[in-house]
Amino acid sequence: MLLSKLYTNANSSAKKDPIKKALLEQVEKKKKAMVLSPEKQKEAYYSSIKFANKRVPLQNHSVETKFERYLATFSYRKQQSYAMHSKAEKHLPKIASILKSYGIPEDFKYIPLIESDMNPQITSHRGAGGYWQFMPSTARLYGLKVHGKFDERKDLIKSTHAAARYLKSLYSEFNDWTLVAAAYNVGGGSLKAAIRRQGTDDYYKLRLNQETGSYIYKLVSVKQVIENPNKHGYKRYAKLDDKYQSINEQNLL
């Protein structure tokens, strides 16, 4: 109440005093500039970035540098294509719904975009295939039929149910969703061995092979460009209600 009166009095006296009025206007401009400055925008945006409801430690310089490298890779400037957003729009709602029914965090819906680019025909040199790039043995273990020309890894719905069961089993081992994602890529046994050797279960401190060491960064980067298309150059999909971007905010990255 007292502050309100003081501010009101300052404004009323400023109307009579042009110098005081000019000073007050400068103060307001500086406040507005600070709120919308690139540094403040970046700080607010980075503090919002999470994977599976856990904040990504972007205050760590090495984590920030690595994240920005992969984020740039998935930006429109680099991709020059709307294909990823088109696939996401078509498939991700179905995937998210299935994952939710198993209690899996929604962010895991981005795995097929990273693993197969939503192309069920892709097969790795090691034999992993389908949307979720299951190895045949793992696919069978989690309920998929894989024999001859009949391959349920190429069925989006069935393979997503299998992936959800697999992710849930990994969570029972690691009790941490970030580690679950890493284990999905490298295998639970390999990740446990790395944790045991290095004496840390912090993904961002573990020294892992290049593919696994970049896996979370790729997932988080894809999440950002899908959820915030305007910020990352995908104007066709841009909305004024981009999750972390106001209509006055500049594109930062």
Side-chain angles (χ1 to χ4, degrees):
M1 189 75 175
L2 182 60
L3 288 173
S4 176
K5 284 182 178 179
L6 286 171
Y7 188 76
T8 304
N9 291 337
N11 276 333
S12 59
S13 62
K15 289 176 183 176
K16 299 173 185 176
D17 186 339
I19 296 175
K20 193 173 282 187
K21 181 181 179 182
L23 287 171
L24 281 171
E25 286 175 352
Q26 283 182 4
V27 169
E28 289 302 317
K29 282 181 181 178
K30 283 183 180 179
K31 283 182 182 177
K32 191 173 181 181
M34 282 180 66
V35 170
L36 294 176
S37 70
E39 293 80 11
K40 289 291 182 182
Q41 290 174 35
K42 182 176 179 178
E43 183 183 334
Y45 177 42
Y46 276 23
S47 67
S48 72
I49 294 175
K50 297 178 180 180
F51 177 75
N53 301 314
K54 188 175 182 180
R55 187 172 169 182
V56 178
L58 292 170
Q59 70 277 7
N60 181 312
H61 180 67
S62 64
V63 174
E64 178 187 23
T65 301
K66 201 168 181 180
F67 167 68
E68 289 182 349
R69 187 193 318 150
Y70 286 101
L71 189 61
T73 300
F74 290 105
S75 70
Y76 182 78
R77 187 182 301 171
K78 184 75 173 179
Q79 298 286 326
Q80 294 292 304
S81 167
Y82 287 91
M84 182 167 59
H85 279 74
S86 179
K87 292 170 186 175
E89 189 174 52
K90 181 180 179 181
H91 297 299
L92 293 193
K94 288 178 280 189
I95 294 172
S97 178
I98 293 170
L99 295 178
K100 184 179 179 181
S101 71
Y102 286 85
I104 309 296
E106 187 174 338
D107 288 350
F108 282 84
K109 69 186 180 183
Y110 297 108
I111 284 180
L113 276 173
I114 295 297
E115 289 284 351
S116 67
D117 193 32
M118 288 295 183
N119 181 353
Q121 306 305 324
I122 287 179
T123 303
S124 76
H125 68 281
R126 294 172 58 230
Y131 287 100
W132 291 82
Q133 288 294 285
F134 272 121
M135 292 295 288
S137 58
T138 309
R140 294 187 189 103
L141 183 63
Y142 289 94
L144 297 179
K145 295 175 183 176
V146 182
H147 54 81
K149 293 183 179 179
F150 191 71
D151 191 344
E152 289 186 333
R153 295 178 298 174
K154 298 177 182 180
D155 183 303
L156 179 64
I157 303 303
K158 289 180 179 179
S159 65
T160 300
H161 278 284
R165 289 191 288 270
Y166 181 35
L167 291 167
K168 200 163 185 177
S169 73
L170 288 172
Y171 187 75
S172 68
E173 290 184 56
F174 293 96
N175 200 37
D176 179 278
W177 289 114
T178 303
L179 292 177
V180 166
Y184 186 90
N185 177 256
V186 74
S190 296
L191 185 61
K192 279 184 177 179
I195 289 170
R196 189 167 54 250
R197 284 196 311 271
Q198 298 175 40
T200 180
D201 61 358
D202 185 338
Y203 170 82
Y204 299 98
K205 293 178 181 177
L206 282 167
R207 296 183 302 279
L208 302 165
N209 67 69
Q210 186 175 358
E211 185 181 343
T212 309
S214 65
Y215 202 67
I216 301 299
Y217 294 93
K218 289 178 182 178
L219 287 172
V220 173
S221 296
V222 167
K223 175 185 176 181
Q224 294 311 308
V225 301
I226 296 297
E227 291 190 355
N228 303 285
N230 191 45
K231 181 183 287 294
H232 302 292
Y234 293 89
K235 301 301 182 185
R236 191 185 302 167
Y237 281 85
K239 300 175 183 176
L240 291 183
D241 62 346
D242 262 17
K243 204 162 190 177
Y244 299 111
Q245 178 161 334
S246 71
I247 57 174
N248 296 318
E249 185 179 347
Q250 299 172 2
N251 293 332
L252 303 178
L253 300 165

